[in-house]
Amino acid sequence: MEKTEVLTDLGVAGTTKTVLKKLPEVTMAFWFMKIAATTLGETAGDLFAQTLKLGYFLTTIALFLVFVVTLVVQLRSRRYNPFFYWTVILSTSMAGTTMSDFMNRDASTEYLTGGATSLGWGPQGLGLGYPAGAAILISLLLIIFAAWKASGMTLQIRDIVTFRGEALFWAAILVSNTLGTSMGDFLSDSSGLGYGGGALLVIGLLAVLVALMKLPAVPNVLLFWVAFVLTRPLGATAGDFLTKPVAKGGLDLGTAGSSTVLLAVLLGLMAYAHAQERRTFPMQQVAAEQPVHERST
């Protein structure tokens, strides 16, 4: 596989496999959808937790249950379905937003918006802070990858064709999106860079990854996952920029309005990517949909 495929094309499962492809083609459209989904995850998570004043605790529980339901649907699907796949990505982004906020923040008025004096029922944060929260999440992500490697299953995203492999993939997605939220909030709120500066820093780091694609010594899998994590803080800072007050450097568009627009953008990108994939890889799809006994003759 060419080195340049890691960010633009992870390929499809071979037509001789007996398991249908469950993950999308990783093209430029994939990365645009990832950023749109993670930005929507930020604004929607804040919509439930802060604007609707459900609080981090209740919202985290509710959105984690949404994640479980969407994951079950994805795991039970026999082939790649863009609606199922991106719904899980979106649910991990929303759950990751409130999980990160619950871990890192506390009940002080510093984190309340819209003049609220309190948020929903239950504890509103562990108050660990961004550095401690990020350290915990990085450790969890490394544990998942260690277990994945120890299982003997491939870490190449294009070759994930088993239930257990896909389950490990989605566990890594959930933790990486939560980690990305912590990184994005730190860049926006605590680093002094602000929303624009934080976004520019992440874009610069992504540009470095593109340059590293030319080096054979850097593993494809590592580049993919670093890019996957980094697009989350880009979405987080973009979401904050859209929703936060002008006095704090945002556009003050509100969580509801921003979420509605971002959802429309994501649905449009999903339809476009699905149409592009069907046009680009029709023969692979036809072969994959054939019964196993027909493909083996």
Side-chain angles (χ1 to χ4, degrees):
M1 183 177 67
E2 293 294 332
K3 191 69 174 181
T4 54
E5 289 181 355
V6 64
L7 297 183
T8 58
D9 186 5
L10 289 181
V12 295
T15 57
T16 60
K17 289 185 181 294
T18 60
V19 182
L20 299 183
K21 183 169 71 76
K22 296 291 295 295
L23 303 179
E25 299 306 318
V26 182
T27 62
M28 288 301 297
F30 171 92
W31 293 110
F32 283 125
M33 285 188 285
K34 170 62 166 56
I35 295 171
T38 53
T39 306
L40 176 56
E42 179 74 16
T43 60
D46 288 345
L47 170 65
F48 291 116
Q50 298 182 30
T51 305
L52 298 180
K53 298 181 175 62
L54 296 179
Y56 300 131
F57 182 70
L58 288 179
T59 305
T60 295
I61 294 175
L63 293 180
F64 185 80
L65 291 176
V66 170
F67 160 68
V68 171
V69 171
T70 59
L71 178 61
V72 169
V73 173
Q74 165 67 21
L75 292 174
R76 289 177 62 87
S77 176
R78 294 185 62 250
R79 60 175 60 87
Y80 168 63
N81 182 303
F83 179 78
F84 295 163
Y85 177 87
W86 288 104
T87 300
V88 185
I89 292 290
L90 177 58
S91 68
T92 62
S93 298
M94 292 191 298
T97 295
T98 55
M99 288 167 62
S100 171
D101 290 344
F102 181 75
M103 289 177 61
N104 300 325
R105 300 180 177 183
D106 54 38
S108 66
T109 56
E110 175 186 356
Y111 300 111
L112 302 180
T113 60
T117 57
S118 63
L119 292 176
W121 178 84
Q124 291 311 310
L126 300 178
L128 298 177
Y130 297 126
I136 292 172
L137 291 167
I138 290 172
S139 299
L140 286 175
L141 192 58
L142 291 175
I143 290 172
I144 291 172
F145 282 127
W148 195 343
K149 184 70 173 177
S151 70
M153 291 181 292
T154 178
L155 292 172
Q156 291 287 350
I157 310 305
R158 64 182 297 175
D159 295 330
I160 295 176
V161 293
T162 65
F163 179 90
R164 187 169 58 165
E166 193 180 357
L168 287 167
F169 170 80
W170 286 113
I173 293 292
L174 177 63
V175 176
S176 65
N177 273 335
T178 308
L179 172 61
T181 301
S182 296
M183 294 170 60
D185 288 342
F186 171 76
L187 291 175
S188 299
D189 300 336
S190 303
S191 69
L193 294 174
Y195 306 125
L200 288 175
L201 175 60
V202 175
I203 291 172
L205 292 174
L206 290 172
V208 171
L209 292 183
V210 173
L212 289 175
M213 290 162 53
K214 306 296 184 181
L215 301 178
V218 183
N220 290 346
V221 171
L222 177 62
L223 286 175
F224 174 84
W225 282 105
V226 173
F228 201 94
V229 170
L230 285 177
T231 50
R232 182 62 182 98
L234 181 59
T237 52
D240 286 340
F241 177 69
L242 291 172
T243 60
K244 298 302 181 184
V246 175
K248 291 186 176 181
L251 296 179
D252 199 17
L253 299 180
T255 54
S258 298
S259 297
T260 301
V261 172
L262 288 166
L263 179 59
V265 170
L266 180 60
L267 289 174
L269 287 172
M270 286 168 54
Y272 170 79
H274 186 55
Q276 284 291 99
E277 181 165 312
R278 291 182 67 87
R279 284 196 296 266
T280 307
F281 303 100
M283 297 304 296
Q284 289 93 330
Q285 290 180 352
V286 169
E289 292 171 358
Q290 290 178 346
V292 175
H293 72 274
E294 290 184 15
R295 284 184 274 140
S296 61
T297 58

